[in-house]
Amino acid sequence: MQPDGFRLLFVGNRGHSRWILRHLLDAGWNVAGVVTRSEGSPSRAIDRERFDDVCDKYDVPLHRTDDINESETREFIDSAAPDLGLCCGWTQIVSEDILDVPTDGFVGIHASDLPKGKGGAPVNWQLILDNHVGVSLFYFVPEVDHGDIIAQERLEIEPRDDIETLYNKVTDTSCRLLDEALPALRDGTVEASPQTYAEATYLPQRTPDDGLVDWSRPATFIHDWVRALTRPYPGAFTFFEGEQVLLWSTAMVEGETKSVHPGEILAIDDGRGVLVGTGDGAVRLERVQVDGHPPMWADDFAERYDLAVGDAFGTPSDFPQWLYTSLRGANGAFDFETNVPLGDSGTTVAVACSHHDQREVRIHAIFDGETCLDRTRTVDGWIREPITYAPEKSGSHTLKINFESEDGTIDTRYIKVFSGE
């Protein structure tokens, strides 16, 4: 059991947050209050969890809010009289006014190798783009994932992992890092290392529409894309004859596959799935789901919907009346230029796609409050619009991109850009 005198304030609303809270309470730490999201909150968090039963079991005061910086939340935190704040999953920047309440500071957990990988959906992005995922325990400051680092660990991404198993690993490691760090945080003997802007990178938030599969990419990329977006997330998806098809599970294919049209169905194997062409080979679909229907095996789906070898997923004629907007890196991939030395410039590409109707879309990009691009494009198929920015001082910068139509704002995306001396 831990000393009753050291009081923790816990902030979180995600599935892994709940496990970490349970771990702290089972270990005997004195959690004096919990802050979580309101029921029906518009937060984008996918795997939000209720904490009522945990707090009831351990008799911990619970406060629900959509704004951690509002006055009622401040009053609750004041009443908890915490020595240390601990945040495990919250999308809002915590104000300095709130951070100053705990006498020994406010710490948080972020699933990346900070200062690399700040921002949203870090576990999903690392599963897509890397062979490992990081876990960092750090002091909070009123910036995105920026503060002195207390502890870090790196975890291998195994071929058998998907987003759920990887989050389980991150959660287990987070609990272990806290077991090691909390006594030092309580005793005031912790040693922390500063983050630098010169090494910082950013991963943008994702939306459900970002699950669209680009069949022209390599097979390995598409397989990682699917396993990074599977449950509890909304899923990777494609289209077939105007129907959205969710892809819940895929498998890599051994051996060489002849050059094919990306998205083309190469084989339908009973008991195994559907083989689909990619930019450099093929991937096997195992579990799929037509929107509004239960998931099924891919070969059963092929039989049910009369798929045949030579048919193709995701061709323009299949797309519904749907406008997609998002961001890409300068080369069209997902290597966003978010670390730009002073004197240099970076580029992010705004993309939009409409296959049924021509759409007029205004792309308005604002960098640190100043317009750096304002252009209206006719969207007929895919369009790409490069956005260039040049930081004028070191530190953290914000690129905001609005996609607008005559009916108003369609989408708003953000990129944080870091610049060191």
Side-chain angles (χ1 to χ4, degrees), residues 364-373 389-390 392-393 396-402 414-416:
H364 184 202
I366 304 164
F367 187 73
D368 284 351
E370 300 289 333
T371 294
C372 60
L373 178 91
Y389 38 88
E392 296 181 354
K393 60 182 180 179
S396 175
H397 310 270
T398 300
L399 175 65
K400 177 182 179 181
I401 303 99
N402 285 325
Y414 293 90
I415 290 279
K416 299 296 289 187

Side-chain angles (χ1 to χ4, degrees), residues 57-368:
K57 177 180 178 180
Y58 291 89
D59 195 25
V60 177
L62 175 66
H63 177 76
R64 300 182 184 87
T65 182
D66 290 331
D67 181 1
I68 196 171
N69 300 313
E70 67 180 1
S71 59
E72 288 184 8
T73 304
R74 169 62 193 263
E75 291 173 3
F76 174 81
I77 295 173
D78 282 337
S79 69
D83 296 292
L84 184 73
L86 174 59
C87 184
C88 302
W90 198 267
T91 57
Q92 186 183 13
I93 296 292
V94 183
S95 70
E96 192 167 1
D97 183 54
I98 298 295
L99 295 178
D100 285 343
V101 175
T103 56
D104 295 333
F106 220 112
V107 302
I109 291 173
H110 185 73
S112 81
D113 292 321
L114 291 177
K116 299 183 184 301
K118 300 172 186 277
V123 182
N124 310 77
W125 278 122
Q126 286 167 99
L127 182 46
I128 293 168
L129 301 173
D130 220 325
N131 59 8
H132 70 273
V133 62
V135 182
S136 300
L137 177 65
F138 65 105
Y139 279 108
F140 263 32
V141 295
E143 290 186 37
V144 176
D145 303 321
H146 188 73
D148 291 355
I149 295 171
I150 299 164
Q152 284 184 313
E153 191 162 325
R154 179 178 287 191
L155 308 172
E156 176 190 0
I157 297 175
E158 301 176 64
R160 61 180 177 171
D161 277 324
D162 62 18
I163 190 62
E164 183 178 25
T165 64
L166 199 54
Y167 251 116
N168 291 341
K169 290 181 180 180
V170 167
T171 303
D172 182 67
T173 301
S174 300
C175 292
R176 186 157 38 79
L177 290 181
L178 285 169
D179 287 342
E180 297 168 358
L182 277 174
L185 286 163
R186 176 195 62 204
D187 299 337
T189 58
V190 72
E191 296 182 4
S193 303
Q195 295 191 50
T196 64
Y197 290 118
E199 298 176 349
T201 61
Y202 181 80
L203 299 168
Q205 290 280 359
R206 299 180 56 83
T207 72
D209 283 354
D210 288 325
L212 177 66
V213 173
D214 179 354
W215 294 105
S216 68
R217 297 196 182 275
T220 300
F221 182 93
I222 292 173
H223 174 63
D224 291 343
W225 187 263
V226 171
R227 63 183 181 141
L229 304 179
T230 194
R231 299 187 190 279
Y233 288 85
F237 65 92
T238 187
F239 292 103
F240 183 74
E241 296 184 348
E243 294 279 357
Q244 185 186 54
V245 182
L246 296 164
L247 311 181
W248 294 119
S249 176
T250 58
M252 295 298 298
V253 179
E254 295 182 0
E256 294 186 2
T257 303
K258 65 179 182 179
S259 178
V260 295
H261 177 74
E264 180 183 346
I265 296 172
L266 306 180
I268 300 170
D269 298 325
D270 288 346
R272 299 185 67 192
V274 175
L275 196 65
V276 182
T278 69
D280 68 349
V283 68
R284 189 182 308 280
L285 307 187
E286 294 181 331
R287 293 287 288 174
V288 304
Q289 180 179 10
V290 176
D291 191 29
H293 297 273
M296 63 180 68
W297 296 112
D299 47 302
D300 291 341
F301 161 77
E303 181 179 3
R304 176 82 58 86
Y305 289 87
D306 296 324
L307 272 70
V309 172
D311 288 341
F313 288 109
T315 56
S317 61
D318 292 332
F319 278 69
Q321 294 183 350
W322 179 64
L323 176 64
Y324 172 66
T325 54
S326 190
L327 303 177
R328 298 290 188 268
N331 63 359
F334 296 93
D335 49 348
F336 300 98
E337 294 184 2
T338 59
N339 192 291
V340 181
L342 288 178
D344 290 350
S345 62
T347 300
T348 291
V349 178
V351 298
C353 173
S354 176
H355 282 297
H356 265 262
D357 301 312
Q358 289 187 355
R359 310 281 186 95
E360 297 295 313
V361 176
R362 178 192 180 197
I363 302 171
H364 184 202
I366 304 164
F367 187 73
D368 284 351

